[in-house]
């Protein structure tokens, strides 16, 4: 599986996450497996240094814009300020096996994951190749 992203969007995400001690999050907008733009969202988690929760206001606005003919919401990104660019156990517990894209940033590392169905209704993350152009 391959996910396309422009280098401009990639740099935009990197710039938002760098030197930020709390987890940074936002939505990935585009079509299919192509990221065309991002929509930064506030992290409204009670402990944003360890978890992330997308601001529902941003989420609702993005879905409304998509229905009105805008870019589709194809997933989201978040950072692991002191972790690795892979889904944490908390991420797995919160994820739905809906095929959405999870982009995780840890330092200079950025990796894309697809949240698909695993055994017993659980989520199985499959890594996708990030194709920056
Ligand atoms: Zn995470």
């Amino acid at each position: 599986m391959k996910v396309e992203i422009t280098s401009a969007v990639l740099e935009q995400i990197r710039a938002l996450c760098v030197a930020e001690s709390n987890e940074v999050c936002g939505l990935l907008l585009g079509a299919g497996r192509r990221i065309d733009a991002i929509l930064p969202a506030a992290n409204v988690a009670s402990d944003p240094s360890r978890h992330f929760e997308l601001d529902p206001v941003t989420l609702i606005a993005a879905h409304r814009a998509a229905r009105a003919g805008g870019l589709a919401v194809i997933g989201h990104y978040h950072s692991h300020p002191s972790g690795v660019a892979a889904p944490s156990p908390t991420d797995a517990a919160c994820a739905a096996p809906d095929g959405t894209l999870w982009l995780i940033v840890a330092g200079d590392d950025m990796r894309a994951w697809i949240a698909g169905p695993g055994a017993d209704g659980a989520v199985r993350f499959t890594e996708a190749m990030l194709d920056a152009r």
Side-chain angles (χ1 to χ4, degrees), residues 23 52 78-80 86-88 91 102 104:
E23 294 198 10
F52 81 100
H78 74 284
S79 67
H80 286 168
S88 67
D91 290 337
W102 286 58
I104 303 180

Side-chain angles (χ1 to χ4, degrees), residues 70-86:
L71 292 168
V73 179
I74 58 171
H76 58 268
Y77 65 88
H78 74 284
S79 67
H80 286 168
S82 55
V84 293

Side-chain angles (χ1 to χ4, degrees), residues 2-10 34-35 129-133:
K2 198 173 77 171
V3 173
E4 287 178 41
I5 186 169
T6 64
S7 48
V9 170
L10 195 136
R34 196 187 70 232
I35 303 165
M129 197 189 87
L130 255 187
D131 185 13
R133 46 186 72 208

Side-chain angles (χ1 to χ4, degrees), residues 34-98:
R34 196 187 70 232
I35 303 165
D36 291 314
I38 59 167
L39 183 61
N43 180 354
V44 297
S46 53
D47 182 1
S49 66
R50 291 164 44 88
H51 302 291
F52 81 100
E53 192 180 328
L54 293 155
D55 186 344
V57 173
T58 306
L59 207 53
I60 291 165
H63 282 287
R64 188 171 291 156
R67 276 198 304 275
L71 292 168
V73 179
I74 58 171
H76 58 268
Y77 65 88
H78 74 284
S79 67
H80 286 168
S82 55
V84 293
S88 67
T90 308
D91 290 337
C94 297
D98 54 6

